[in-house]
Amino acid sequence: MVRKNPQHHPHRTLIVGNYCHDVLFKDNTVIAQTLGGASSFISAVFDPLSSDPSSTSFISKVGPDFSHHVSHPPILSPSSPTTLFHAHFSSEPRRQDRVLKRVRSCDPILPSDLPPNAKFNFGLAAAVAGEILPETLARMLDICDTLFVDVQGLIRAFDPVDGTVSLIGLTISGFHHLLPRIRFLKASAEEAPFLDVEEARRLCCVVVTNGEDGCTVYWKDGEYRIAPFPTVQVDPTGAGDSFLGGFVAGLVHGLAVPDAALLGNFCGSLTVGHVGLPKFDSKLLQRVKDEVVKRKMQYSCCLDGQDDGLKFEKPLGHDQFHASLAAAKLATACSIEECQQDLHNSPTTIEQDIHQQCTGQHKLLTTSVLEEPI
């Protein structure tokens, strides 16, 4: 049950997971160096959609070599470097599509790094490099009413020699005993076989994302598929993290679980249209936020005095909410296209500057990297 706060007090949210440096290789050639880590992708969608960003606390660790400016300053760990991932892609169809390696890792996030004497309505554990320990997750469960966990942070293993990432079963991960206390567990289609979905759904809500096919929500009394949003995929890095950011933002606003998952699908579809960490069009996100607030008002009217617990059944108007989000995306795309058409006779440098303002993204690659998130 989610505790009901007075209307003038926003829901407090805790997001935990380290920032990273990501280096992408294709055929052993560096094609991009970007800011990584789940927290960076989550904040890119969660902050603009939040009714009060100041009510959100981010806990991350980096080393003295951290080379990016972020809106939520991390904890500096002077004794270790920033976590570094190398993602190796191949253009040869018969070779493994991607090999992911954790080259360096920052210090883990400890229970003592979490805000002392604090309580949160929502918490999100989004580790990518093993930085959240079982005792840290247990502490998050103590201070968060509703906790979302990305299973990749629990089941990733790293080769002690070269850091190659593999997956292990949740039952042997050291986190399995905490499953009954977790409210939401997110897994990709590739990660789902490493946990027993049928067992997990009896204990918590399990959300399995499946790229262009949307996602499926499982809970003890049922399951449903949430429709995707068609998009042109450029780079799927961070799509799962963006899904989580949108999903949690929807629940913080008070949406039903199916509507929040739909918002997660929408945010994931936006991310795959960008290379690396996206910088979204502010007008688009404002349109989306307006649609979320409108949907919440419609949903509140339908509740008719019921309790404020999380609702898992699809509410009336769910399909219309999908259509309104798609329309917001289309309206912004048309606006950007009109902006670009006005640039035909402009000098090249001015055209590039305005194009970046219209798209909100500096293109880092000349070729697509079509793989799962780093």
Side-chain angles (χ1 to χ4, degrees):
M1 184 68 66
V2 179
R3 298 175 186 173
K4 190 172 183 179
N5 278 7
Q7 217 170 11
H8 58 280
H9 290 306
H11 289 299
R12 298 195 64 202
T13 306
L14 174 66
I15 298 174
V16 179
N18 284 349
Y19 294 113
C20 306
H21 290 157
D22 287 345
V23 182
L24 281 66
F25 296 80
K26 191 158 191 179
D27 298 329
N28 297 319
T29 300
V30 175
I31 55 175
Q33 299 182 50
T34 69
L35 171 64
S39 291
S40 60
F41 286 92
I42 290 170
S43 63
V45 298
F46 189 86
D47 289 349
L49 296 179
S50 174
S51 56
D52 182 8
S54 65
S55 66
T56 305
S57 298
F58 279 76
I59 305 298
S60 301
K61 280 186 177 179
V62 298
D65 61 328
F66 188 60
S67 58
H68 299 276
H69 172 76
V70 292
S71 56
H72 300 279
I75 299 171
L76 178 62
S77 178
S79 62
S80 66
T82 301
T83 299
L84 172 64
F85 277 101
H86 284 182
H88 294 265
F89 301 88
S90 173
S91 57
E92 297 181 22
R94 292 190 177 182
R95 292 182 59 186
Q96 183 177 350
D97 288 331
R98 183 189 70 166
V99 175
L100 182 62
K101 298 183 178 183
R102 187 188 67 176
V103 180
R104 295 194 296 267
S105 61
C106 195
D107 289 334
I109 298 171
L110 305 175
S112 57
D113 295 318
L114 304 180
N117 305 316
K119 295 291 289 184
F120 297 88
N121 303 92
F122 298 94
L124 175 51
V128 295
E131 66 266 29
I132 296 180
L133 306 174
E135 54 266 34
T136 305
L137 189 64
R139 177 59 182 160
M140 292 185 68
L141 287 162
D142 290 338
I143 63 178
C144 299
D145 295 334
T146 299
L147 187 66
F148 305 77
V149 178
D150 191 338
V151 77
Q152 73 173 355
L154 313 186
I155 64 173
R156 277 186 171 181
F158 308 93
D159 186 277
V161 177
D162 65 359
T164 299
V165 178
S166 60
L167 300 176
I168 61 173
L170 181 61
T171 55
I172 61 173
S173 66
F175 292 91
H176 186 260
H177 67 287
L178 298 173
L179 188 59
R181 299 177 61 194
I182 294 170
R183 194 64 186 275
F184 290 90
L185 188 67
K186 177 261 178 188
S188 69
E190 290 73 23
E191 294 160 348
F194 291 86
L195 62 145
D196 187 337
V197 173
E198 290 304 314
E199 177 206 12
R201 69 188 294 181
R202 293 195 293 266
L203 302 173
C204 65
C205 177
V206 181
V207 183
V208 178
T209 57
N210 197 20
E212 63 182 12
D213 293 324
C215 69
T216 303
V217 179
Y218 302 88
W219 79 106
K220 63 179 180 179
D221 296 323
E223 64 186 68
Y224 45 75
R225 178 178 174 271
I226 302 299
F229 291 84
T231 189
V232 177
Q233 180 169 287
V234 177
D235 175 13
T237 301
D241 304 320
S242 297
F243 169 88
L244 269 176
F247 183 54
V248 176
L251 292 181
V252 170
H253 273 283
L255 298 184
V257 173
D259 288 347
L262 192 62
L263 182 61
N265 280 351
F266 179 81
C267 293
S269 75
L270 293 181
T271 296
V272 300
H274 295 261
V275 174
L277 182 66
K279 185 177 181 182
F280 298 118
D281 182 271
S282 59
K283 292 182 180 179
L284 169 60
L285 292 183
Q286 184 58 53
R287 287 190 179 102
V288 172
K289 185 176 179 179
D290 292 342
E291 292 296 337
V292 170
V293 172
K294 186 189 304 182
R295 179 61 177 156
K296 166 57 181 172
M297 293 176 63
Q298 295 170 347
Y299 178 58
S300 298
C301 294
C302 295
L303 287 177
D304 193 24
Q306 299 178 36
D307 65 81
D308 66 329
L310 296 171
K311 305 298 181 184
F312 288 89
E313 297 293 342
K314 284 186 179 180
L316 293 175
H318 177 79
D319 292 338
Q320 287 80 359
F321 184 46
H322 182 283
S324 68
L325 292 176
K329 183 177 180 180
L330 179 62
T332 303
C334 291
S335 176
I336 291 174
E337 184 177 351
E338 291 172 0
C339 176
Q340 292 172 337
Q341 288 175 351
D342 291 338
L343 300 179
H344 274 304
N345 298 321
S346 301
T348 302
T349 54
I350 298 178
E351 180 174 337
Q352 291 174 342
D353 289 342
I354 300 177
H355 174 74
Q356 289 163 0
Q357 293 173 21
C358 291
T359 62
Q361 172 69 25
H362 292 272
K363 294 300 181 184
L364 300 178
L365 305 184
T366 58
T367 182
S368 298
V369 181
L370 304 180
E371 281 307 313
E372 280 299 303
I374 296 178

